[in-house]
């Protein structure tokens, strides 16, 4: 399926003119990884927590809610987060215009370097190394957004015309919210509110817009295989098509889309720094036979040279230089496993 060394985009398999009725074998998950049941698996008592950040809430109560959500789930929705709600719609709109209105040949002009992990641009496969790995039913556009020296708007889509402006504004807003949430997470553990922000050092931010084309056999595929995010926190929004699932007590729980809310997902570095009091959330995306789905994930990471270690004693995780953690992740792949367990003492 490789064209001139360039991995094929899922959308070109799924789109109308070449529509397939069965997924190509490289997208078929082994039985143990297939979504067991399609549709909404939420039991009413199994809903991801919603935390209201608005107004002048009592910080102590707010931190108790954060603590419970971080302990029980490693992920939670926030409402009244301070990010202008129209901006959430704007980025979903420019993202879907890029994926759905721009011809494939135009999109391919923005291709990422498929030989280098996490390179900026339009791509489909997350991992470079593994030839035999099952492929995700997903295309994406990855943007490097912070520090500002990494932000090259000229490499981002020129269509729709407001694309670059919207992504830049969204990036600034996500940084503010990430700092606010990391402050609350620090406070909720009795640390100074700037503790995690200071431990993180210079903030590295990437924004990935993921597009999950309609899939003829959702029961055999995954949009994105099970993984935890590597950095500190991910802020994610989705459109109104469900598909994101978070693992809770060994069960996959679908995160109902809430258009004005933002999902906070704890990453592995937060698990390390909190000494495992808070766990990173395992999550995945399932596919869908009726509608394509779009999400926007904003990752907040330390510099590659930054060592990260537990803030509490006795440490349960070895110190790790973030860049080494990332390299081993890209070599092994998520593979449904918790890479972070390799650091457990
Ligand atoms: C990710 C991710 C989930 C989604 O990009 O790391 O988990 O719903 N995305 O797209
Ligand atoms: Ni993720």
């Amino acid at each position: 399926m490789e064209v001139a060394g360039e991995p094929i985009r899922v959308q070109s398999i799924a789109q109308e003119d070449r529509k397939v009725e069965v997924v190509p074998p490289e997208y078929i998950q082994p039985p143990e990884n297939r979504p067991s049941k399609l549709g909404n698996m939420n039991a009413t008592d199994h809903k991801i927590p919603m935390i209201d950040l608005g107004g002048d809430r009592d910080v102590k109560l707010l931190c108790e809610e954060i603590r419970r959500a971080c302990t029980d789930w490693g992920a939670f929705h926030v409402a009244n987060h301070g990010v202008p709600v129209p901006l959430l719609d704007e980025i979903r709109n420019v993202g879907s215009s890029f994926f759905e209105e721009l011809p494939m040949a135009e999109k391919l002009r923005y291709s990422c370097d498929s030989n280098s992990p996490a390179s900026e641009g339009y791509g489909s496969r997350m991992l470079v190394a593994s030839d035999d790995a099952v492929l995700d039913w997903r295309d994406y556009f990855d943007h490097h957004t912070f520090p500002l020296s990494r932000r090259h708007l000229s490499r981002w889509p020129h269509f729709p015309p407001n694309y670059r402006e919207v992504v830049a504004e969204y990036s600034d807003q996500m940084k503010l919210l990430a700092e606010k949430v990391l402050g609350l997470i620090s406070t909720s553990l009795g640390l100074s509110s700037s503790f995690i922000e200071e431990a993180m050092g210079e903030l590295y931010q990437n924004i990935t817009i993921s597009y999950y084309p309609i899939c003829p056999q959702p029961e055999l595929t995954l949009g994105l295989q099970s993984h935890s995010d590597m950095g500190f926190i991910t802020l994610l929004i989705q459109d109104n098509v469900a598909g994101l699932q978070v693992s809770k007590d060994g069960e996959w729980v679908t995160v109902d889309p809430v258009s004005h809310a933002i999902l906070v997902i704890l990453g592995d570095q937060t698990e390390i720094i909190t000494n495992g009091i808070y766990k990173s959330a395992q999550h995945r995306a399932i596919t869908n036979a009726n509608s394509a789905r779009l999400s926007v994930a904003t990752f907040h990471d330390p510099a590659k040279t930054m060592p990260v270690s537990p803030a509490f004693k006795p440490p349960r995780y070895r110190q790790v230089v973030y860049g080494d953690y990332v390299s081993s992740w890209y070599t092994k792949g998520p593979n449904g496993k918790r890479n972070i367990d390799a650091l457990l003492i």
Side-chain angles (χ1 to χ4, degrees):
M1 292 300 272
E2 311 254 317
V3 183
E6 174 69 29
I8 199 152
R9 301 300 183 271
V10 175
Q11 199 178 2
S12 67
I13 306 170
Q15 74 191 17
E16 290 304 322
D17 54 332
R18 295 181 43 189
K19 204 168 178 176
V20 293
E21 276 159 27
V22 291
V23 301
E26 55 272 38
Y27 294 90
I28 298 180
Q29 294 288 337
E32 66 275 17
N33 291 351
R34 292 178 194 164
S36 55
K37 190 163 68 153
L38 295 175
N40 193 327
M41 297 198 262
N42 282 356
T44 38
D45 58 339
H46 250 49
K47 255 200 161 39
I48 201 126
M50 171 70 77
I51 298 183
D52 186 346
L53 299 181
D56 23 48
R57 294 208 49 198
D58 180 77
V59 175
K60 197 159 164 275
L61 285 178
L62 180 55
C63 284
E64 275 169 25
E65 280 180 39
I66 299 258
R67 195 182 165 102
R68 195 168 322 120
C70 290
T71 314
D72 293 352
W73 289 83
F76 52 92
H77 270 132
V78 290
N80 296 313
H81 37 62
V83 180
V85 170
L87 184 61
L88 307 183
D89 292 328
E90 277 169 4
I91 193 156
R92 284 185 282 245
N93 289 340
V94 297
S96 72
S97 293
F98 171 78
F99 283 101
E100 295 191 336
E101 293 168 32
L102 210 57
M104 181 56 68
E106 290 293 311
K107 288 198 283 264
L108 288 172
R109 289 176 46 206
Y110 298 98
S111 289
C112 61
D113 174 0
S114 57
N115 294 313
S116 121
S119 85
E120 191 167 42
Y122 179 54
S124 194
R125 351 174 36 143
M126 189 164 45
L127 299 173
V128 177
S130 42
D131 286 336
D132 54 345
V134 180
L135 300 182
D136 295 324
W137 194 261
R138 174 185 82 135
D139 297 331
Y140 59 82
F141 201 108
D142 190 26
H143 313 74
H144 295 174
T145 45
F146 274 107
L148 284 174
S149 57
R150 294 170 74 234
R151 200 189 276 188
H152 302 291
L153 271 69
S154 61
R155 298 179 191 165
W156 301 352
H158 290 55
F159 177 87
N162 60 338
Y163 186 106
R164 290 164 290 165
E165 189 192 319
V166 169
V167 173
E169 170 66 13
Y170 188 79
S171 156
D172 294 342
Q173 291 288 337
M174 288 301 111
K175 178 173 188 275
L176 293 175
L177 179 59
E179 286 162 356
K180 190 191 286 187
V181 172
L182 287 171
L184 289 168
I185 290 174
S186 300
T187 308
S188 73
L189 289 167
L191 301 166
S192 77
S193 66
S194 59
F195 188 91
I196 296 179
E197 208 183 317
E198 278 165 26
M200 182 158 63
E202 190 170 31
L203 171 80
Y204 278 65
Q205 186 199 61
N206 298 298
I207 298 181
T208 302
I209 304 185
S210 294
Y211 183 77
Y212 301 91
I214 286 178
C215 180
Q217 294 179 295
E219 67 285 2
L220 300 181
T221 53
L222 285 175
L224 191 54
Q225 62 184 302
S226 170
H227 67 284
S228 55
D229 295 340
M230 288 177 277
F232 277 102
I233 56 168
T234 305
L235 299 175
L236 185 135
I237 61 171
Q238 43 183 345
D239 63 12
N240 57 9
V241 180
L244 176 64
Q245 299 185 323
V246 172
S247 170
K248 164 101 167 88
D249 307 328
E251 209 186 309
W252 287 108
V253 178
T254 300
V255 179
D256 288 334
V258 184
S259 70
H260 64 274
I262 296 171
L263 185 74
V264 177
I265 303 174
L266 303 189
D268 293 340
Q269 305 315 303
T270 295
E271 178 168 333
I272 295 171
I273 205 165
T274 66
N275 208 21
I277 300 173
Y278 295 165
K279 294 276 194 307
S280 59
Q282 282 297 121
H283 54 283
R284 69 179 187 182
I286 60 171
T287 63
N288 180 320
N290 303 309
S291 321
R293 173 173 175 265
L294 183 113
S295 73
V296 184
T298 308
F299 304 95
H300 298 90
D301 308 331
K304 294 280 169 66
T305 52
M306 201 69 185
V308 180
S309 55
F312 301 99
K313 283 192 178 11
R316 297 180 53 223
Y317 300 79
R318 277 191 295 280
Q319 172 172 295
V320 69
V321 173
Y322 184 61
D324 296 342
Y325 191 75
V326 173
S327 313
S328 81
W329 195 97
Y330 277 110
T331 313
K332 295 196 307 256
N335 210 10
K337 290 194 207 75
R338 283 172 35 92
N339 283 312
I340 194 177
D341 288 349
L343 298 176
L344 278 170
I345 293 175

